[in-house]
Amino acid sequence: MKEQLESIRRQALDAVAAAADPAQLEELRVRFLGKKGELTAVLKQMGKLSAEERPVMGQIANDIRAAIESAMETAKKELVAKALEQRLLDEALDVTVPGKEAKIGHRHPMYIALDEIKEIFIGMGFTVLDGPEVELAELNFDRLNAEEGHPSRDWSDTFYFDTDSRVMLRSQTSPMQVRAMDTMELPIRIIAPGRVYRKDEVDATHSPMFHQVEGMVIDKNVTMADLKGTLNTVVEQLYGKGTKTRFRPHHFPFTEPSCEMDVQCHKCGGVGCPTCKGEGWIELLGAGMIHPRVLEMSGIDPNEYSGWAFGIGLERTAMRRFKIADLRLIFENDVRFLEQF
């Protein structure tokens, strides 16, 4: 038995010395010292020894166990220290190597245009309103004098949430004008920017999701001249002195009389090109005098008060502001494009 114990000592100490990592040490501990280990197996034979031999063999076995455990503890500390040293070498940082430049983002061109519009109107005494993108058809259409049967209410033009066509993604930010008339004291001067949704086909000037800025003024003795003068002032502040505009008669149920305002195409200077579809002009906004019936639905006396309203496409404003030829560039998030602004 003594020879077996000494053999276990040699094998264990040699194996521990050759172990490459803590996991191998654990395997050796189980192999030699575990409940089913080699040392335990030898000790189970102690019953065959005489009474005089048992204490001697027991002492030898304890000495061997202590020697193996001590060797394992020492080896474990050395392996852990070696692994840490290697990790420090692998993860060493060369402080002489230039660091990576941190790129700082900037505002999107569309929001640059929006901030400029806000600044212009706030300077004129307007209040900026924000509202829900999921809207009631009552506020998006009915209260804006667009009754049942109006083309804009058709399923082919509008995104509805229910079969009753009562809840929808707003197709304009005009509902905020209704909310303002219902809750704000007169006189009212507001703009309402935000996302809107229509079933438009994507092309150089259209998208099913785009941004609008609606504006409204209600006061005594407000006229169409006030509307044209305000919009021309805004356009000149956005695009520069002498920017050419034109107003065309149009029809909107919310306004009467109504008009559309165009700006001369920034790409071709009015000659005609793909951006303006050969017309030389790009439609910028629709506007007009608020319909008396709309005022009445909000409890405002049209004989005492009048007002005007407009709705401008923010993407088209940015296109004209930064001479962008295709609206799709605004949404594609191409860094090469965005870094120009």
Side-chain angles (χ1 to χ4, degrees):
M1 180 176 287
K2 184 176 181 180
E3 289 75 12
Q4 286 181 293
L5 291 173
E6 291 297 335
S7 176
I8 290 173
R9 182 204 295 265
R10 288 193 302 271
Q11 292 180 38
L13 295 179
D14 290 345
V16 168
D21 53 55
Q24 287 188 9
L25 286 177
E26 178 61 19
E27 293 176 0
L28 293 173
R29 186 194 66 78
V30 174
R31 173 186 167 187
F32 291 106
L33 305 179
K35 291 182 178 181
K36 297 181 180 181
E38 294 183 15
L39 184 59
T40 304
V42 173
L43 293 176
K44 287 180 179 180
Q45 302 175 22
M46 294 280 285
K48 300 177 182 180
L49 300 176
S50 64
E52 292 80 10
E53 291 178 317
R54 281 191 212 123
V56 177
M57 291 300 105
Q59 184 61 47
I60 293 174
N62 288 336
D63 292 343
I64 292 173
R65 177 182 292 275
I68 295 173
E69 289 177 343
S70 176
M72 285 186 172
E73 185 65 27
T74 301
K76 183 177 180 180
K77 290 180 179 179
E78 292 176 354
L79 289 172
V80 170
K82 185 177 180 181
L84 177 59
E85 183 179 355
Q86 186 61 45
R87 180 180 175 187
L88 292 174
L89 289 173
D90 293 340
E91 298 179 4
L93 177 65
D94 185 353
V95 295
T96 65
V97 175
K100 292 182 179 179
E101 181 182 359
K103 286 191 175 183
I104 300 177
H106 55 78
R107 289 180 300 164
H108 191 281
M110 188 178 66
Y111 285 98
I112 295 175
L114 175 59
D115 288 344
E116 291 177 350
I117 291 173
K118 286 181 178 180
E119 185 177 349
I120 292 169
F121 278 101
I122 290 173
M124 294 179 175
F126 283 67
T127 300
V128 180
L129 300 184
D130 186 26
E133 295 176 25
V134 177
E135 190 58 272
L136 297 174
E138 176 188 358
L139 298 181
N140 196 88
F141 292 126
D142 297 335
R143 295 284 300 278
L144 297 173
N145 205 32
E147 300 176 347
E148 294 288 346
H150 191 275
S152 63
R153 303 184 70 143
D154 193 86
W155 278 78
S156 62
D157 289 332
T158 303
F159 295 100
Y160 290 102
F161 284 93
D162 59 349
T163 55
D164 295 331
S165 303
R166 303 314 302 170
V167 182
M168 56 179 288
L169 288 173
R170 65 183 181 186
S171 60
Q172 52 201 356
T173 57
S174 301
M176 290 308 301
Q177 298 179 6
V178 177
R179 294 175 185 272
M181 286 188 284
D182 286 348
T183 59
M184 296 179 69
E185 294 184 1
L186 295 169
I188 297 173
R189 292 176 179 82
I190 61 102
I191 60 169
R195 281 185 293 266
V196 297
Y197 306 85
R198 298 178 189 175
K199 290 184 178 179
D200 287 337
E201 296 296 329
V202 177
D203 61 24
T205 55
H206 293 84
S207 170
M209 186 285 294
F210 57 101
H211 297 73
Q212 264 193 346
V213 179
E214 299 262 351
M216 181 178 71
V217 169
I218 300 177
D219 204 345
K220 295 180 179 180
N221 303 315
V222 173
T223 68
M224 194 77 171
D226 299 317
L227 168 64
K228 293 181 67 176
T230 301
L231 293 180
N232 277 328
T233 299
V234 170
V235 167
E236 285 200 338
Q237 289 196 43
L238 281 174
Y239 305 138
K241 195 74 175 176
T243 299
K244 294 183 179 180
T245 64
R246 71 176 183 182
F247 290 81
R248 295 178 287 107
H250 200 70
H251 169 72
F252 299 109
F254 181 67
T255 54
E256 181 59 38
S258 304
C259 65
E260 285 191 337
M261 187 180 81
D262 304 330
V263 291
Q264 194 173 74
C265 179
H266 56 276
K267 192 71 175 178
C268 64
V271 177
C273 68
T275 298
C276 61
K277 299 179 180 178
E279 296 182 2
W281 297 86
I282 295 178
E283 175 192 334
L284 190 64
L285 59 86
M289 301 300 295
I290 299 175
H291 198 293
R293 189 182 305 164
V294 173
L295 295 174
E296 289 175 345
M297 283 189 281
S298 292
I300 299 174
D301 185 356
N303 295 315
E304 184 176 1
Y305 289 93
S306 58
W308 52 256
F310 71 88
I312 183 172
L314 186 55
E315 284 80 3
R316 293 187 185 183
T317 305
M319 289 174 67
R320 180 64 174 78
R321 170 70 174 78
F322 296 108
K323 295 180 171 56
I324 300 170
D326 196 315
L327 178 144
R328 287 166 290 197
L329 291 169
I330 293 176
F331 298 116
E332 288 175 349
N333 291 325
D334 189 326
V335 175
R336 296 169 299 177
F337 168 74
L338 295 176
E339 284 179 340
Q340 299 176 50
F341 304 97

